[in-house]
Amino acid sequence: MSAQQSMEEVTVPRDGYDFVVVSNRLPVDRDVDEAGNSSWRRSPGGLVSALAPVMAQRDGAWVGWHGAPDETLEPFDHDVFHLVPVMLSELEVKRYYEGFSNATLWPLYHDVIASPEFHRTWWYAYRRVNERFARMAAETASQGATVWVQDYQLQLVPRMLRRLRPDVTIGFFNHIPFPPTEIFSQLPWRRAVLDGLTGADLIGFQRPGDAQNFQRCVRKYLGVQFTKGAAQFSESTAEGTDTTWTVNAGSYPISIDVDSIKELADSPEVQARAREIREELGNPETIFLGVDRLDYTKGIGHRIKAYGELLHDGELSVADSVLIQVASPSRERVDSYRQLRELVEGMVGRINGQHDTISHTAIRYLHHGYPFEEMVALYLAADVMLVTALRDGMNLVAKEYVAARRDRSGALVLSEFTGAAEQLRQAVLVNPHDIDGLKEAMLYARDMPRAEARKRMASMRRQVLTHDVVDWSQRFLADLAGHARAGRDTPADAATGAAEHGSSDRGSHDE
């Protein structure tokens, strides 16, 4: 039985919502006090900040997992959000999230920096969970609603949702890179994933290259050609009628909540904390800063290696320079992440053991998260920001640093393999695999003339402050509405795609 046949249509709710966001996690975190009482608080992050006003204006709901396995919650309201929790079992978290999403798709979509694992049990869990998310969205959306699905954990939801609710407008945004055909071809379920994605009216990617990779994969594995970023698909329903829609794919680089960062950077308390950080470090001449999740895509090891060699070469000394490396914990139940932590902490220990003095430390390594106020204080305190990702869809830390540099001082060393590099061209761009080149870039950033540094930072700030996360969401949603109207006006016999090109369950070579 095909997925199309197995997913029965749902009844359009009378009290449904006109705008529905679907993501792996809800936009809230649970707080538990010492007495065991729990409450909810809004999650930090640009996506939540960008969509909160849309939720308030358009009668919105958010579908997602609430973070606790094996717990079922009824829908509830918090802040401006109507929240629709999706239940995940402990086994589904292990297989769908830790397994297929983060040990299969994540490394595959990041140029196979780590080897992806392919397990059918993970895939089956991923498909089952995506069906649950699609059904919850279908049961939440009003007639003709707009549904915006977020990220790689839910790539099957658009087509599943279209089969359940062909009346809704569907957007999808991929927050991570999309790989070229040579890499994507390794995925045993490649056609099923493409079939899922092409259920959307508009698919957004971080970079034009990601959109082009997706279009090439669709042409190769589904046999459908994109023309000027658009392709037409049709599918037969269980009743024997055809439904036709146009899929648009393009670049919509995400950004940050500029206003909140500017407000914190202007705060006397945060500015005082930045000065205090420098004093606690002994007022070094240069503070280098790295802020990342502890992830193998971030190039943390390359950065630390380059810094250690600069100390060994005598180009830097612990008396006048320090590297602060914030590495927030990430996916610590996944083997590759545990191994990375051991590697990074070993490197830091060896460098500090060789170069520390009684009064100075070479690398301040901080393996825990911080409140955002502290992060902005670190941005203000740092002279050189190091973003050396080996592959990154965007990298918002780079933009946050730029937004925080209110006096236009500071220098940004930025990997050319980040999406941000296409927008922040006045950064000192580097290939992080080139350790010698990275060392030269770090020294150049340290020694950059003040006038040049201010000119570069002013240019980057104009870009970031103009194109914030609100601008990103507004552009995507405006285009989604426009493309959906145009696509539904297209005659069915003009479609170049066909249902047989998009089978999510057929084909033993893709199972």
Side-chain angles (χ1 to χ4, degrees), residues 192-453:
V193 168
L194 294 173
D195 177 58
L197 289 169
T198 53
D201 295 287
L202 175 61
I203 308 171
F205 298 91
Q206 299 281 24
R207 308 195 298 182
D210 297 321
Q212 292 163 8
N213 286 343
F214 169 76
Q215 292 173 25
R216 294 187 188 105
C217 288
V218 169
R219 178 181 181 182
K220 181 172 183 178
Y221 294 112
L222 302 187
V224 179
Q225 175 71 47
F226 276 81
T227 302
K228 295 183 178 179
Q232 292 177 304
F233 285 78
S234 68
E235 183 172 82
S236 297
T237 66
E239 291 76 22
T241 59
D242 286 343
T243 179
T244 302
W245 67 98
T246 300
V247 179
N248 296 269
S251 172
Y252 294 84
I254 197 170
S255 194
I256 59 172
D257 183 1
V258 167
D259 289 341
S260 66
I261 294 177
K262 288 174 61 180
E263 181 179 353
L264 287 171
D266 288 336
S267 164
E269 293 80 10
V270 173
Q271 294 173 19
R273 175 58 185 150
R275 292 190 295 271
E276 186 179 37
I277 289 171
R278 295 194 71 96
E279 292 170 1
E280 290 173 352
L281 296 170
N283 287 311
E285 293 180 12
T286 308
I287 296 178
F288 295 87
L289 175 64
V291 175
D292 313 86
R293 284 187 309 103
L294 188 56
D295 190 290
Y296 49 76
T297 65
K298 301 301 183 181
I300 298 172
H302 296 64
R303 180 185 317 158
I304 292 173
K305 179 178 176 63
Y307 193 81
E309 290 189 7
L310 287 171
L311 290 171
H312 183 268
D313 297 343
E315 299 284 358
L316 297 175
S317 73
V318 294
D320 54 33
S321 300
V322 65
L323 169 61
I324 303 174
Q325 176 60 59
V326 178
S328 57
S330 174
R331 301 166 187 165
E332 296 198 313
R333 301 205 307 183
V334 179
D335 285 342
S336 57
Y337 287 81
R338 287 197 295 264
Q339 295 167 9
L340 175 65
R341 178 178 178 179
E342 293 175 2
L343 174 65
V344 169
E345 292 180 354
M347 294 177 68
V348 171
R350 285 191 294 273
I351 292 171
N352 284 346
Q354 293 169 1
H355 298 284
D356 280 5
T357 65
I358 296 296
S359 55
H360 296 95
T361 296
I363 301 175
R364 294 295 181 96
Y365 175 74
L366 308 167
H367 181 59
H368 48 85
Y370 282 96
F372 197 55
E373 293 85 351
E374 182 76 357
M375 297 311 306
V376 175
L378 282 168
Y379 294 150
L380 293 179
D383 302 289
V384 179
M385 185 81 211
L386 302 176
V387 177
T388 57
L390 308 180
R391 188 75 168 94
D392 217 335
M394 177 52 60
N395 195 283
L396 298 182
V397 164
K399 293 187 175 184
E400 289 173 354
Y401 178 75
V402 169
R405 303 303 296 190
R406 44 196 294 280
D407 62 354
R408 293 177 294 166
S409 65
L412 172 64
V413 176
L414 180 61
S415 166
E416 61 191 46
F417 302 123
T418 65
E422 298 193 4
Q423 299 174 292
L424 305 181
R425 298 185 180 277
Q426 293 302 312
V428 181
L429 299 178
V430 296
N431 174 358
H433 298 284
D434 177 7
I435 299 299
D436 287 337
L438 178 55
K439 290 161 60 179
E440 292 173 2
M442 292 166 67
L443 294 177
Y444 184 83
R446 180 196 65 176
D447 299 331
M448 188 182 298
R450 187 169 183 268
E452 179 185 351

Side-chain angles (χ1 to χ4, degrees), residues 45-48 50-51 148 150 173-176 204-207 251-257 393-396 399 419-420 423 463-464 467-473 475:
L47 179 64
V48 178
L51 295 184
W148 194 359
Q150 305 289 329
F173 188 77
N174 196 62
H175 291 257
I176 66 174
F205 298 91
Q206 299 281 24
R207 308 195 298 182
S251 172
Y252 294 84
I254 197 170
S255 194
I256 59 172
D257 183 1
M394 177 52 60
N395 195 283
L396 298 182
K399 293 187 175 184
Q423 299 174 292
Q463 206 287 333
V464 172
H467 302 289
D468 64 0
V469 72
V470 175
D471 174 68
W472 165 79
S473 65
R475 286 188 296 110

